[in-house]
Amino acid sequence: DAGVTQSPTHLIKTRGQQVTLRCSPKSGHDTVSWYQQALGQGPQFIFQYYEEEERQRGNFPDRFSGHQFPNYSSELNVNALLLGDSALYLCASSLQDPRGEQYFGPGTRLTVT
Amino acid sequence: DAKTTQPNSMESNEEEPVHLPCNHSTISGTDYIHWYRQLPSQGPEYVIHGLTSNVNNRMASLAIAEDRKSSTLILHRATLRDAAVYYCILRDVSYQKVTFGTGTKLQVIP
């Protein structure tokens, strides 16, 4: 089992551009959550997808959007990039059960210049 | 969201037990207590979770206060591989949202 995989590993973008990050969940998991982790901080919840719909959302602007595909994989899109969007973006997969654990991927390091 | 409070950092000698505290005085009856840890350059890793009773697994033990306003993660014998940031998190059974704090950075001294 490959666990949670994310691509790309690193990414450099220019302010104002758009970016798409990808996540494949752990086999058997149907729920994908996305987090943003700034340097030295804990991960901040962006949103969660289940059954191809956004189920929960954190305090992030509409520039952050996502999608979940029928195979449960997911994408995170960020439009009109700002310097402050530079961070590690983590994807976590789980079953639709708040009592269960989330499995995190290694993350995508996004740098906005 | 109910919040958690943890010390910023702690030190432990290798092979000794470590007790990592977490305060969550505003916890609600439907909140589960989860612990994750994040090793350098990796995503967070699930450690353990519980609701009311103490819990044990192969990685650690979780001791939950009777009033549930605090909990303690116990690593029975710290190894150098346990050096990480440990996060105490509350998860409402009605929602999937997970809120991380700043965690406790554990340093293990050989």
Side-chain angles (χ1 to χ4, degrees):
Chain A
D1 181 7
V4 179
T5 60
Q6 292 186 243
S7 63
T9 305
H10 296 87
L11 202 53
I12 299 175
K13 289 287 190 178
T14 303
R15 191 171 44 185
Q17 287 188 315
Q18 179 264 342
V19 68
T20 297
L21 310 181
R22 295 176 175 82
C23 172
S24 291
K26 179 180 170 62
S27 177
H29 284 180
D30 56 10
T31 301
V32 173
S33 302
W34 287 92
Y35 295 82
Q36 180 194 66
Q37 186 173 27
L39 207 58
Q41 302 296 315
Q44 299 299 305
F45 178 80
I46 302 175
F47 44 54
Q48 181 185 84
Y49 278 83
Y50 171 65
E51 291 185 333
E52 302 180 47
E53 289 188 8
E54 183 182 297
R55 300 289 178 166
Q56 292 271 311
R57 189 177 183 93
N59 296 323
F60 281 81
D62 292 344
R63 298 186 298 108
F64 290 77
S65 63
H67 188 76
Q68 185 179 35
F69 299 93
N71 67 353
Y72 307 121
S73 67
S74 177
E75 288 182 350
L76 165 65
N77 301 294
V78 186
N79 294 323
L81 284 168
L82 303 174
L83 296 179
D85 294 332
S86 295
L88 180 68
Y89 288 84
L90 295 161
C91 167
S93 76
S94 61
L95 295 173
Q96 187 61 215
D97 180 356
R99 297 166 295 180
E101 60 263 37
Q102 292 191 333
Y103 287 80
F104 284 81
T108 293
R109 172 70 63 187
L110 173 64
T111 302
V112 182
T113 62
Chain B
D1 294 333
K3 294 189 176 181
T4 61
T5 304
Q6 300 176 253
N8 288 332
S9 63
M10 291 185 64
E11 282 185 0
S12 173
N13 294 319
E14 196 176 9
E15 301 295 318
E16 291 189 356
V18 182
H19 291 236
L20 298 166
C22 180
N23 288 319
H24 27 79
S25 58
T26 60
I27 190 170
S28 72
T30 54
D31 282 335
Y32 279 77
I33 302 162
H34 287 242
W35 284 81
Y36 283 76
R37 71 180 186 181
Q38 189 170 21
L39 280 65
S41 302
Q42 294 187 24
E45 173 188 31
Y46 168 81
V47 178
I48 199 166
H49 77 277
L51 183 61
T52 56
S53 303
N54 295 344
V55 184
N56 299 294
N57 67 19
R58 63 176 180 81
M59 289 183 69
S61 297
L62 176 59
I64 302 173
E66 195 169 336
D67 63 6
R68 301 209 325 127
K69 293 185 176 182
S70 65
S71 61
T72 302
L73 179 70
I74 303 166
L75 306 179
H76 296 287
R77 293 181 64 189
T79 69
L80 296 178
R81 293 173 58 184
D82 292 322
V85 178
Y86 286 79
Y87 296 99
C88 169
I89 299 154
L90 301 181
R91 291 188 72 182
D92 189 305
V93 71
S94 303
Y95 302 97
Q96 289 279 358
K97 181 177 178 179
V98 175
T99 302
F100 285 78
T102 53
T104 297
K105 185 174 184 178
L106 175 66
Q107 182 180 1
V108 180
I109 303 169

